[in-house]
Amino acid sequence: MNTAAAVDLSVQVGALRLRNPILAASGTFGYGIEFAHLVDLNLLGGLVVKGLSREPIEGAPPPRIVETPSGMLNAIGLQNVGVRAFVAEKLPVLRKYVTPVLANVFGNTLKDYVEVIRTLEDAEGLAGYELNISCPNIKRGGIQFGGTPATVSEVVTAARRAAVNRPLWVKLSPLVADIGLIARSAAEAGADALTVANTYPAMAIDPRTGKSRLGNPTGGLSGPAIKPITLRLVWEVRKTVEIPVVGLGGVEKVEDVLDYLSVGASAVQVGTASFADPAVTRRLVDGLAEAVCDAKCFTINDIVSYFAAEIG
Ligand SMILES: Cc1cc2nc3c(=O)[nH]c(=O)nc-3n(C[C@H](O)[C@H](O)[C@H](O)COP(=O)(O)O)c2cc1C
């Protein structure tokens, strides 16, 4: 008899085999360790830690998070302990788990990205890297690395040379004219997979003061509000490149996961939903197994083709 427990949820993302397609997204799950008492980390498909920079960053002034209709706006300012403290203090704890851990990497110069990856290359216990390219390039007047095919190629090429030992995922910025061109550029520069996508630049004003509701003037929009927009981006990227795509934006329910898988994502990440329910990732893994079972399928791939056939 087919039971949820017998269902095979495993997926392949390039060289990485994940026990299921549910990963925790960068910046919304701390360094993973903070959630270990709420979710059995070993049951997740993987987790992406908070973005890491060369030096520690204190982050943006408060408030850093505000709620918006169907979404959340954040301006954290990429606060983190810095790559060396991550390796010394967080990684030894994370190593005890079997779940693949990806390090999210960012910088303001090519040298920053390369330096962070080089420091991580010497450390044990990581399954791969995820490059956050939605950061301002200070050598090019603050324009995002992820904004043009040329700058994407530059940063991915540099990171690829440094990332000798592990898979390199590149997390695209959603705010570009043609996501297909950007995706192709990242793939040609050596990305092993693409994460689609980051938050959308946005604002929220307090009508009583006429000022931003955040400590910064602007922030990044996430949550259910962005899901239909990002779903289209994943579909577009899937049509353009051969490498695996990981979808993220507004995943809250099993249906959201199936939507992303149906348009060609190999796995999904869950961000904002963990704020409302810190155990949502675990709930999604269980719900997905039940959905596969209810559809009288045995593997996650069976149910995805089943849904694709339904959609036509
Ligand atoms: C509070 C917060 C912090 C984030 N920090 C990072 C980060 O450090 N690096 C990164 O690449 N993305 C970061 N993100 C973006 C998320 O990983 C994800 O791309 C985005 O929130 C969309 O997914 P969601 O709608 O499921 O939240 C952050 C998002 C939030 C809400």
Side-chain angles (χ1 to χ4, degrees):
M1 198 182 69
N2 189 14
T3 63
V7 160
D8 177 8
L9 291 180
S10 65
V11 294
Q12 193 77 31
V13 182
L16 283 186
R17 186 85 191 159
L18 309 179
R19 66 183 321 173
N20 62 64
I22 310 292
L23 295 95
S26 178
T28 63
F29 210 70
Y31 298 99
I33 306 160
E34 300 87 335
F35 282 71
H37 66 292
L38 299 163
V39 186
D40 180 353
L41 301 184
N42 283 332
L43 296 178
L44 302 184
L47 66 94
V48 188
V49 298
K50 218 172 200 322
L52 299 167
S53 50
R54 266 170 97 164
E55 301 301 330
I57 295 180
E58 273 192 20
R64 291 174 162 190
I65 285 180
V66 298
E67 229 179 297
T68 55
S70 301
M72 195 172 95
L73 202 52
N74 89 83
I76 307 291
L78 295 167
Q79 179 195 8
N80 76 100
V81 296
V83 67
R84 288 186 300 278
F86 170 76
V87 169
E89 294 159 24
K90 314 288 181 189
L91 207 47
V93 187
L94 283 172
R95 249 180 240 137
K96 294 180 188 147
Y97 297 93
V98 295
T99 297
V101 175
L102 286 107
N104 182 280
V105 170
F106 71 93
N108 293 118
T109 63
L110 293 180
K111 225 172 142 191
D112 287 345
Y113 280 97
V114 168
E115 189 70 32
V116 176
I117 293 175
R118 285 211 181 119
T119 306
L120 294 170
E121 282 279 282
D122 293 334
E124 299 265 318
L126 284 173
Y129 307 112
E130 182 183 73
L131 220 56
N132 174 5
I133 57 172
S134 302
C135 297
N137 179 345
I138 51 174
K139 295 233 163 102
R140 296 210 185 215
I143 293 172
Q144 273 191 22
F145 283 98
T148 68
T151 48
V152 169
S153 178
E154 222 174 44
V155 69
V156 177
T157 301
R160 178 74 279 173
R161 280 200 199 112
V164 182
N165 296 324
R166 297 181 177 125
L168 177 69
W169 296 9
V170 178
K171 182 168 179 176
L172 304 188
S173 164
L175 203 74
V176 293
D178 185 340
I179 193 102
L181 282 180
I182 300 285
R184 190 171 294 138
S185 179
E188 285 171 1
D192 293 303
L194 300 175
T195 307
V196 182
N198 217 312
T199 54
Y200 295 74
M203 293 181 97
I205 301 295
D206 182 342
R208 289 163 303 180
T209 61
K211 292 186 176 147
S212 174
R213 290 172 60 204
L214 291 166
N216 275 357
T218 66
L221 186 65
S222 60
I226 69 170
K227 195 199 119 188
I229 318 176
T230 303
L231 191 64
R232 207 275 304 174
L233 294 181
V234 169
W235 176 73
E236 193 75 42
V237 169
R238 179 68 289 158
K239 284 194 303 172
T240 317
V241 295
E242 298 283 323
I243 57 174
V245 180
V246 177
L248 89 157
V251 172
E252 275 189 338
K253 297 182 290 222
V254 169
E255 289 76 8
D256 300 320
V257 179
L258 293 173
D259 284 356
Y260 276 111
L261 298 182
S262 297
V263 298
S266 302
V268 301
Q269 294 182 15
V270 182
T272 301
S274 289
F275 283 74
D277 174 4
V280 66
T281 39
R282 167 70 206 271
R283 196 165 49 71
L284 287 171
V285 173
D286 291 346
L288 205 52
E290 277 162 29
V292 173
C293 192
D294 289 349
K296 305 208 177 343
C297 296
F298 292 92
T299 73
I300 191 74
N301 291 331
D302 294 341
I303 196 176
V304 172
S305 33
Y306 166 88
F307 273 85
E310 288 273 295
I311 292 166

